[in-house]
Amino acid sequence: MATFFGEVLSVYSRAVEEDDDDLDDENEDERIHREIEEKREVHIVWCPEVAQSLEDSGSNTLQCSDLIIAVGTNAAGFLSAYVLNTESWDAVGHVSLWNERSRGSSRQSIAPLPGEPACLFYRHRDNPAVLVCQSTCYIAEDQLFQWTEKVLGCLQKRGLSVMVLSDSPVAEYKTPDYLYGSAVPFLRSLKSSASKGQALCPALEQPNILTGLPAAVLSHCQVHQIPAVLYQCYTDVISPDSITMETYKPALLCLSKLVKLEPCLSADVLRKFAIITEAQSNLYT
Amino acid sequence: MAMSYDRAITVFSPDGHLFQVEYAQEAVKKGSTAVGVRGKNVVVLGVEKKTVAKLQDDRTVRKICALDDNVFMAFAGLTADARIVVNRARVECQSHRLTVEDPVTVEYITRFISSIKQRYTQSSGRRPFGISSLIVGFDFDGTPHLYQTDPSGTYHAWKANAIGRSAKTVREFLEKNYKEEHMESDTDTIKLAIRALLEVVQSGGKNIELAIMKRDESMKILVQEEIEEYVTAIEKEKEEAEKQKKKT
């Protein structure tokens, strides 16, 4: 093409041609999508005994009467300190997944190291129908459905009852009244309609909502009519903290009916599970 | 929702709140407790000592700072903000001495600190100071004073007050146990401050730091043994009181 100034420009053709190149591109796109899906897949790795029981049962499900899920470091710390502290719990599995915030181990079979964010399952030795799950890793929104389907899909629905303990920052609690310091941390509850019986704390008021793993589990239980109750603890501390963990104590009432618990706990044991960030943080004096 | 009214502190919300200032008051609650008591002849500031990391020099973690020979203060909240405020106050104390040839009055320096804090609630691009402070001392005419300032820049005189983490509990204790006639005795004034702190401090006397100033004397920080003596005396008095209660 000649321009006003006498130079010659080469012009690119804007004609679209049906090329084989397009097909390759599509295949490549598909391949990339598939790779990402595989990478983001949620895998549950059970220990050999449990894997065997799953195989032996015809429906690939475990018999479970109570599933307790703890989401968040304080909920997990509470279970570690008050429930899992006796010797009668066995680690029976973990969930291996990858997302931008949760880079799980590249090999699924390796169990997560203690202290690492992870999703661990424990079963009581004397009462193997009681299962505890501690989830401290971040599960992305696109993985929540998979997680719930795979975990709850492994358990028989009949006779199953679920309890979820979850942490949340109090800054996300919406209320018209001003919350004085002494009120925090506090518990709020939500139940599926199949759940009979009283919750041990006031129900979560509108317009507050649940998000993330607790919401996914509760929704699943609501749809499949599994009795489920959730206790959400609103706290103003961002790290694991013994006072926040103690707020979950009302849940012990339900748990003590299922398994034998340590009667009283010294404050030192509790503090062991709470990260002592106070000493390191010189931000506030 | 508060969200859109707390981005710039110069903006009022429709119901008259300055949310950044109120959030700054939440930052104060993250600091450990400080209590101040004004006696007739002595002023006392007691603070909850923070646990320091093993390798940290605990002399550098000071909550009580002298501003001049006749005034000292304790703060609760963001450490770095406190350092700035204390430095400016110290400079002002000396500037006042040079200009007027007199030491500052406690009210003057409190007003100076509060004015700085208020200025930061009305400038754009700046956030308020995240500290509250208890300022105590004696004026040159010998009157003792205790003032409290907060992030909004207000200040008030108090007979006894507390700031920081469990301030509400400590203030309620002070309201119940403050007796005007006890303030004549230095020992009773000091004991009231220690008793108030013991309500909220974990593991007793070794987590308490106390500073006192008697009229015409400079500030004195009590050593651990002296504090333990007071704590033992307080515990004995408590036991006696409970024995009396059981008898009646």
Side-chain angles (χ1 to χ4, degrees), chain A residues 174 178 182 236 278-285, chain B residues 26-27 29-30 50-51 56 63 76-79:
Chain A
K174 299 167 188 56
Y178 178 65
S182 49
D236 56 353
E278 305 287 335
Q280 317 302 342
S281 162
N282 286 312
L283 190 62
Y284 301 100
T285 301
Chain B
E26 293 298 312
K29 290 191 201 148
K30 288 192 150 38
K50 252 181 54 154
T51 37
Q56 192 172 36
K63 249 170 100 80
L78 287 161
T79 326

Side-chain angles (χ1 to χ4, degrees), chain B residues 5 10 12 14-15 27-29 48 50 81 90 95 106 118 128 133 148 153 155 163 174 182 200 215 229 233 235 244:
Chain B
Y5 295 102
T10 49
F12 277 104
D15 50 354
V28 170
K29 290 191 201 148
E48 178 186 353
K50 252 181 54 154
D81 285 6
R90 284 172 172 168
S95 171
V106 187
Q118 191 281 338
S133 56
Q148 185 229 347
Y155 69 92
I163 53 175
L174 289 170
H182 287 180
V200 296
R215 188 176 289 111
E229 274 177 33
E235 279 171 2
Q244 288 284 43

Side-chain angles (χ1 to χ4, degrees), chain B residues 85-99:
Chain B
V85 168
V86 166
N87 283 349
R88 292 216 198 149
R90 284 172 172 168
V91 168
E92 179 62 21
C93 286
Q94 298 315 305
S95 171
H96 187 276
R97 271 183 192 266
L98 286 171
T99 327

Side-chain angles (χ1 to χ4, degrees), chain A residues 184-200:
Chain A
V184 181
F186 57 88
L187 278 185
R188 287 292 183 267
S189 66
L190 264 187
K191 298 193 292 181
S192 70
S193 39
S195 166
K196 315 287 173 222
Q198 277 283 65
L200 304 156

